[in-house]
Every structure is written in structure tokens, then in C-alpha cells.
Amino acid sequence: MNVLRKAWLKLPIEKKTRFYSLIIVVIILMVGVFDISVAGMSIRNMGTILSDLTKCANLQAAMTAENEAFEKYIRNDIEANKVNYEKACVHTRACISRLPYDYSRVGAERYARAWRVINAYDYYEGQREVTLSGILHGNSFQKLYDLYEMQNNLKSYVQDLMQITVSEASLMYQKKLTLIEFLPFIMVAISITTITLTLLFGRLFSSTLTFPLKKLALGVRDISEKNFDSKDIIVDNEDEIGELVDTFNDMKHAMSEHINTLNENQLLNEQIHKDELERVEMEKQLNVAQLDLLQSQINPHFLFNTLNVISGMAELENAETTQKMISSLSHLFRYNLRTNAQYVSLSQEINVLDDYMYLQQMRFGSRLVYNKDIQEDLDTTSIIVPVFMLQPMAENSIIHGLAEKIEGGEVSLHVYKKDEAVYVEISDTGVGIPETKLKEINSGKRIKTEEHAGIGFTNITRRLKSMDENSMVQVESSPGEGTKVIICIRY
């Protein structure tokens, strides 16, 4: 209904008028067609009934004439009687061929009785010729009585067909009579419906023309009283009246904006002054930020120089372990603070992981074992991976997997190539991950790990997929048996 109303509102006024007139004409034509259809159907049905009755009556008369011609022919074998007999037989056969024999129209019972008449006559016709030939040649007349009995049976079959045809004709007549009796009521209902539809379309036609014009007149009155703050006129029309209302609303807004121009200019000047003050304040804050940036650049440089001095002193004192720890820590700081690229080579990530694991082994001692297995023919310098991909995974293995076990455990790195992809596996023999938490991690619901905001499984997966959509990160774990992170890199 809403769709039809919208389509009506889009029509121009001229087309609305034509459509309304067309609806009236169509309704009148439909009533006339209905009357003609009812009358024509009744006439066709009555004609069919009379035709079926006439065909059955013609068959009865033809069979009577044939039997009489047969009697005359066997009593007086002359040429005239023979000709009359043959004509009667042809006429009977023609009447039988015209019997109503359409199953879909006459129904099962009439079809069965017509079938019985046709088949009985076919058999009778064959026996009649044989019997007639014997009588004419002076043979026994015994079969003649059998033939008379067949004639009587045929008359009975035709009479049954006639009776059921008359019965069905009577029923059909009763139905048509009932329809004819109710026809005045049907016509009254159609007339009421026609009047109702006409009134409804008339009301719709009026509501889409008269009401919008009344609203427009009220809007013009507000403008004449210099009331520019009144609400816009809203109509559903998308025809000429809708365009007129839209134009009126635009004109009202233009006049209102013209009147308020001076006030808006004053407010604009005040806003410009306020923006100027804010710009000066932002310049001050920018200067402070530049100083902070300079200081942040000086601090890492001072830290690296200090670590290099300490490393040199440890080397002079032959403290190899201390010197190596300081060197590894210096490498980690430098990688963490100076790496601006989003992607690095896999070999750089492995070197950072080696430095990190060395420091952790110094911290945990014999409780932590680090194993590394890299395929020999694999060129890790040519493989590009997201920065900070391996170290956070190893840190998770130590903090969440091994730190909770008194006896410690192992962290292993395995890198190999398989099926046009490079696989990096970081596994541990820690406490494992509970099943519910593991499902959250693999489903991508956990955006970050508990200790490393922004650098978790989901983060690494997202950065890998930015390189190649087919790359992935998968976690396998069982409580008490450890955890394995499998990183698949497509290239």
C-alpha cells in the first residue's frame, strides 16, 4: 500500500486526472464484461445440455429406424428395402460417432455408459451381418432371435444413457437457476464495491491536491506576517505541488538568512578572534613538543654510549659473560628504539630472539633451555616478516608457560620451508593454555595478550595478512604439556 501511495504521489497532476478517469472507465467495463460473461456462460452451458440430449434422442430414433428397415429387408428381399436398410445402418453409425465421449467433460458414469453403447453396437453390427447373410441364403433362423435380443439390449443401453444425460442436465439447470437467482445480489455487491472504489480514489485524489494547497496558503500567511521561523511545509507530493512547496521553503530560508546576515557576521568576527588566540596557544605547545622530541632523541643516544662504555670496561676486565650480556641488551634497545620499519628480514628477528633468550638464560640459569633448528638451505635474509614477531612470542612462553613451573623448561625455535611457505614454530614445555582461552586466541577474540598490549597473536596475524592474505598464526596447546605457536608466511 505504501509503495502504491508513493507512486501516486510522484505522478504529475495531469496524469493523476487521467488515471482517475481511466479507473472509472475500467470499473464500468469490468461490470459490463462480468454481465456478458455470466450470460454467455449460461447460454453455452444450456446449449451443451440441449446438444447432448439431441444426440442421444437422434441415436434412439436411428436405432428404431434401423431395426424397422432390417425387418422389412429380411421379409422382402428387394433392392429398395436393401438400400433403405444400408442407409439406416450408416445413419445409426453416424449418430453413435457423435455421442458425447469426452471423459473430462461428461464424467466417469456417462463415459462408461457411452462406452457400453459403442462397444455393444460394434459387436451387434458384426453379428447382424453374419445372421443376415445366413437368412438370405435360406439357412437357420435360430440366430435371428439372438439378434433381436441384442437389439433390445442396445435399446436399453441407449435408454440408460439418455436417462443419465437428462439427470445431469437437470442438475446443471438447477445450478444455473441458483446462480441466476443470486445474480441480483451479486450485481448489488458489485455496485457497492464500484461506488466504494470510486469514493476512495476520489478521496485520494482530493487529499493529494486540496490538503497541500491549504498548507501552502497558511505558509504564505506566515510570511506576510514576517514570521520566518515557522516550520517548513512538508507534503508527500512529488508532483508540481511538491516542487512548488519546496521552492516556497527555499525562498523562506533565503529571506531568513538575508535578515540574519549582520548577526552572523558579528559572530564570525568573534570566532576569528578566538581562533587566533587558539593558534597562538598551539604554537606554544608545538615548541614544547619539539623540545620533548629533541630530549627523547638525546636520551637513547646517551643510553647506547653508556652501554658501550660499560661493555668496553667489562672486556678490559675479561668479564666475558658481563660483556656479552651488555652487548645483547644494547642490541635489543637499539632494535626496539631505532627500528621504524614495519617489516624486516627473518634473520634480523632471529638475531633479536637470540639476544633476548641469552639474557633470559642468564636470568633463569639452568631452568631455561633454548633450542634452535633452522633449515640449512633456507635463506632467512630474503624472507620479510613483520617487526617484533618472534620476541613477544618467546616472552609469552617464558612468562606464561615456564615461569610458573619450578623446574623450568625448554623454549624451541624451528624454521623450515614447506609447500611454497615458510613455517616458524616457537614451542615451550610450560603449563599450557586452558581450552576455553585457546579457542578465544585462535578465533581472534583476544586482541592482545595479558602483558603485551598491541603485540599479540591477533596483532601479528593482522600484520601478516597485510603482507599476504593466506598467511596465518595458529596456537596449539594442551594443559600441562606446553604450547606451540605456528606462524605460516607465504611469499
Side-chain angles (χ1 to χ4, degrees):
M1 187 61 71
N2 291 332
V3 176
L4 293 176
R5 180 175 174 81
K6 290 180 180 179
W8 173 262
L9 293 171
K10 290 180 179 179
L11 288 177
I13 297 176
E14 182 181 359
K15 289 187 178 180
K16 284 188 175 72
T17 306
R18 292 181 181 178
F19 183 77
Y20 179 71
S21 303
L22 180 63
I23 288 296
I24 301 300
V25 173
V26 169
I27 291 175
I28 295 173
L29 290 177
M30 288 177 63
V31 173
V33 170
F34 175 78
D35 294 340
I36 295 172
S37 299
V38 172
M41 183 175 61
S42 300
I43 293 172
R44 285 194 299 272
N45 291 335
M46 295 303 297
T48 302
I49 293 171
L50 292 176
S51 176
D52 291 349
L53 290 174
T54 301
K55 290 175 182 178
C56 292
N58 290 340
L59 178 59
Q60 281 185 324
M63 291 191 67
T64 300
E66 180 189 331
N67 292 338
E68 292 176 354
F70 179 76
E71 287 286 343
K72 289 182 182 180
Y73 182 43
I74 62 175
R75 289 177 182 176
N76 189 3
D77 183 13
I78 61 177
E79 186 64 24
N81 290 339
K82 180 179 180 182
V83 171
N84 290 334
Y85 163 72
E86 291 176 349
K87 289 181 178 180
C89 291
V90 171
H91 180 61
T92 303
R93 170 56 68 181
C95 290
I96 287 178
S97 65
R98 287 193 289 269
L99 283 176
Y101 198 57
D102 186 357
Y103 182 86
S104 60
R105 184 175 71 83
V106 303
E109 191 168 358
R110 281 180 65 189
Y111 179 83
R113 297 195 182 189
W115 180 85
R116 184 172 65 177
V117 170
I118 294 171
N119 283 274
Y121 186 80
D122 290 342
Y123 180 75
Y124 162 76
E125 191 176 35
Q127 295 299 318
R128 182 190 62 196
E129 297 303 324
V130 174
T131 303
L132 182 62
S133 176
I135 293 173
L136 294 177
H137 290 84
N139 294 334
S140 174
F141 287 86
Q142 179 62 36
K143 292 186 177 180
L144 182 61
Y145 297 102
D146 296 336
L147 199 63
Y148 287 153
E149 184 176 358
M150 292 181 190
Q151 291 177 356
N152 292 331
N153 290 336
L154 274 171
K155 289 180 181 179
S156 175
Y157 296 160
V158 174
Q159 185 65 30
D160 290 343
L161 180 60
M162 186 69 177
Q163 288 178 354
I164 190 172
T165 303
V166 171
S167 176
E168 291 185 1
S170 178
L171 291 175
M172 184 176 295
Y173 175 76
Q174 292 296 328
K175 292 180 180 179
K176 296 302 176 184
L177 183 62
T178 303
L179 177 62
I180 292 173
E181 290 176 350
F182 276 98
L183 190 59
F185 300 99
I186 296 175
M187 294 304 299
V188 170
I190 292 176
S191 299
I192 293 174
T193 304
T194 302
I195 294 172
T196 303
L197 290 175
T198 304
L199 292 175
L200 288 175
F201 274 105
R203 184 177 179 182
L204 178 62
F205 187 76
S206 177
S207 64
T208 54
L209 291 178
T210 307
F211 295 161
L213 290 176
K214 288 182 178 180
K215 290 183 178 181
L216 187 60
L218 292 174
V220 172
R221 185 180 304 169
D222 290 337
I223 292 296
S224 65
E225 296 174 357
K226 298 181 180 180
N227 182 13
F228 297 99
D229 296 329
S230 60
K231 294 182 179 179
D232 287 347
I233 300 174
I234 299 176
V235 296
D236 296 330
N237 297 57
E238 299 183 21
D239 52 10
E240 294 87 345
I241 294 179
E243 293 179 1
L244 181 61
V245 170
D246 292 339
T247 303
F248 174 80
N249 290 331
D250 293 339
M251 180 190 68
K252 183 184 70 172
H253 290 309
M255 294 178 67
S256 178
E257 290 175 0
H258 180 72
I259 292 173
N260 296 327
T261 300
L262 295 176
N263 294 332
E264 291 178 356
N265 288 337
Q266 183 179 357
L267 294 175
L268 181 60
N269 291 330
E270 293 177 356
Q271 184 65 36
I272 292 173
H273 180 67
K274 182 179 178 181
D275 292 342
E276 183 66 22
L277 294 177
E278 291 179 353
R279 185 183 64 80
V280 172
E281 182 65 23
M282 289 180 63
E283 288 180 354
K284 293 180 180 180
Q285 294 179 1
L286 180 60
N287 292 331
V288 174
Q290 289 175 346
L291 291 175
D292 292 340
L293 178 61
L294 181 59
Q295 184 179 3
S296 66
Q297 293 174 345
I298 294 172
N299 289 339
H301 184 69
F302 174 75
L303 177 61
F304 296 146
N305 289 337
T306 304
L307 288 175
N308 288 331
V309 171
I310 297 173
S311 177
M313 293 297 295
E315 185 177 2
L316 292 175
E317 295 174 358
N318 294 323
E320 295 180 1
T321 302
T322 303
Q323 190 271 336
K324 187 175 181 180
M325 289 179 63
I326 294 173
S327 177
S328 297
L329 180 60
S330 177
H331 293 163
L332 287 175
F333 279 153
R334 182 176 290 105
Y335 188 77
N336 190 25
L337 295 174
R338 292 189 176 180
T339 301
N340 297 322
Q342 295 184 358
Y343 304 99
V344 296
S345 66
L346 179 59
S347 61
Q348 287 180 272
E349 280 291 297
I350 294 175
N351 292 334
V352 170
L353 179 62
D354 291 342
D355 289 332
Y356 174 76
M357 291 304 300
Y358 175 76
L359 292 174
Q360 293 297 331
Q361 284 179 309
M362 293 299 100
R363 173 188 172 188
F364 289 97
S366 61
R367 291 180 57 205
L368 177 61
V369 177
Y370 173 53
N371 298 316
K372 184 169 65 172
D373 179 17
I374 300 176
Q375 186 174 322
E376 293 182 357
D377 58 345
L378 186 62
D379 183 12
T380 57
T381 58
S382 63
I383 300 171
I384 305 302
V385 297
V387 68
F388 296 116
M389 182 183 75
L390 300 183
Q391 184 270 333
M393 296 298 180
E395 186 173 352
N396 284 337
S397 296
I398 294 172
I399 295 175
H400 302 295
L402 301 180
E404 299 181 14
K405 295 179 68 174
I406 298 176
E407 68 277 14
E410 297 182 2
V411 175
S412 300
L413 171 66
H414 185 200
V415 183
Y416 58 94
K417 181 179 178 182
K418 179 182 177 182
D419 298 332
E420 301 297 331
V422 173
Y423 289 84
V424 179
E425 297 180 359
I426 300 177
S427 59
D428 63 69
T429 58
V431 297
I433 303 174
E435 184 177 356
T436 55
K437 184 176 178 181
L438 181 64
K439 289 181 179 179
E440 291 180 357
I441 294 174
N442 284 326
S443 65
K445 293 181 179 179
R446 300 182 63 84
I447 300 177
K448 60 183 180 180
T449 62
E450 283 78 353
E451 299 294 335
H452 296 84
I455 307 177
F457 299 110
T458 304
N459 181 274
I460 293 175
T461 302
R462 178 177 55 81
R463 291 190 290 148
L464 276 171
K465 287 186 176 295
S466 68
M467 295 174 54
D468 189 283
E469 185 65 25
N470 296 319
S471 299
M472 68 169 189
V473 178
Q474 184 71 26
V475 183
E476 298 177 357
S477 182
S478 298
E481 297 183 5
T483 302
K484 177 188 291 186
V485 180
I486 304 172
I487 302 173
C488 176
I489 304 169
R490 301 284 181 180
Y491 65 95

